[in-house]
Structures are given as structure tokens and as C-alpha cells.
Amino acid sequence: MGWRVPAVWAAGLTLWMAIVGIVYHALLALDFDGLRWWTDQGLHTAVPIALFLWWLAFAPRAGLARRHALWWIGWPGLYMLYALIRGEIDGRHPYFFIDPPKIGWGPVLLWIVALGVVFWLAGLVLVALAKKSQPRPSSSRRCRP
């Protein structure tokens, strides 16, 4: 007997890592070379793709519901809050889109809302994909002559 990750956590982790890869490549990618290129690609490309493929092939998906797409916004939301508080304390903001001294609070709040919507919509897609890829229950009724 083995321990399995609950479906809601497996899907949440998959969603978070997929969006890490997408946001990185869309907004944050740097031009590294050598070993830094390999580690950067491993973290931001290979791991998200591998996790998504694992989720498609092996992860439990039963029981996922649309409400989970809202739950999955919680972790990125907490991270944004942490990053903003830490940035106000030490003056270092990890990303340009949550750097109020650089772009102002209005744009930062717009980025946070936009990312929240992206996480929510992507979560809904993941739930729909899970429902579509689940095996259909076989009918226990048999026709008798």
C-alpha cells in the first residue's frame, strides 16, 4: 500500500507549477548561458512540463470540482502578500509587476487581480480536463434475456 496525494493537492501543485512556467517564459525569462541556462530551463520549463504530464498520466483526479479553482488562488495570493510585505521591509521586490516603488500601487493591484483571474480560469480548465479524462463508471446493470 502506498500513500497518494489527494486529487485537490495534485491538481493545485500542477496548476501552480504550470503557471510558474508560463509566467516565467512570458514575462520574466532571462538570457542565461552555460550551467545557469540548464538550471533555469530545468526549473521553469522541464519541471512544469514533467509535473503536468505526471498529472495527466498518474495523478488522482476524482472529486475535483469548480470550487477548487477558487481554492487554488489562495497559495499564490499568500505568496503575493508575503512578497509585498517583504519588499516593503527590505526594499527588494522579486518581480517588476509587484514592485510598487517602480510601477505604483494601482498597476500592482491590477497585476494581482489579473494573475488571480488567470489562476482561476486555468484552474477551471484543469478541473474540466480532469472530468473529461476520468474513466466513465461502468454500468452494473446487465440486460437479461
Side-chain angles (χ1 to χ4, degrees), residues 45-117:
T45 307
V47 169
I49 290 170
L51 183 57
F52 184 73
L53 292 174
W54 169 84
W55 182 81
L56 282 175
F58 303 110
R61 293 185 291 281
L64 291 178
R66 294 175 61 130
R67 71 180 180 277
H68 294 126
L70 281 175
W71 296 2
W72 295 326
I73 296 172
W75 182 250
L78 285 173
Y79 175 74
M80 290 285 185
L81 183 62
Y82 159 76
L84 286 168
I85 291 170
R86 192 187 117 202
E88 290 302 307
I89 292 169
D90 69 10
R92 294 178 41 202
H93 295 82
Y95 311 109
F96 75 89
F97 52 85
I98 56 170
D99 191 345
K102 188 178 269 183
I103 68 169
W105 277 102
V108 166
L109 293 175
L110 284 174
W111 273 105
I112 290 171
V113 168
L115 286 169
V117 169

Side-chain angles (χ1 to χ4, degrees), residues 1-2 5 18 20 22 40 53-54 60 74 86 88 113-115 117 123 125 134 139 141 143:
M1 282 194 173
V5 176
V20 160
I22 291 166
D40 188 60
L53 292 174
W54 169 84
R86 192 187 117 202
E88 290 302 307
V113 168
L115 286 169
V117 169
V125 168
Q134 285 180 12
S139 176
R141 295 183 191 173
C143 293

Side-chain angles (χ1 to χ4, degrees), residues 3-64:
W3 178 80
R4 290 197 70 160
V5 176
V8 70
W9 282 107
L13 290 169
T14 301
L15 173 71
W16 300 326
M17 281 307 297
I19 292 181
V20 160
I22 291 166
V23 167
Y24 177 78
H25 287 288
L27 302 172
L28 304 170
L30 299 172
D31 192 20
F32 293 123
D33 58 4
L35 185 57
R36 287 194 72 185
W37 182 88
W38 285 101
T39 57
D40 188 60
Q41 290 303 310
L43 183 63
H44 296 105
T45 307
V47 169
I49 290 170
L51 183 57
F52 184 73
L53 292 174
W54 169 84
W55 182 81
L56 282 175
F58 303 110
R61 293 185 291 281
L64 291 178

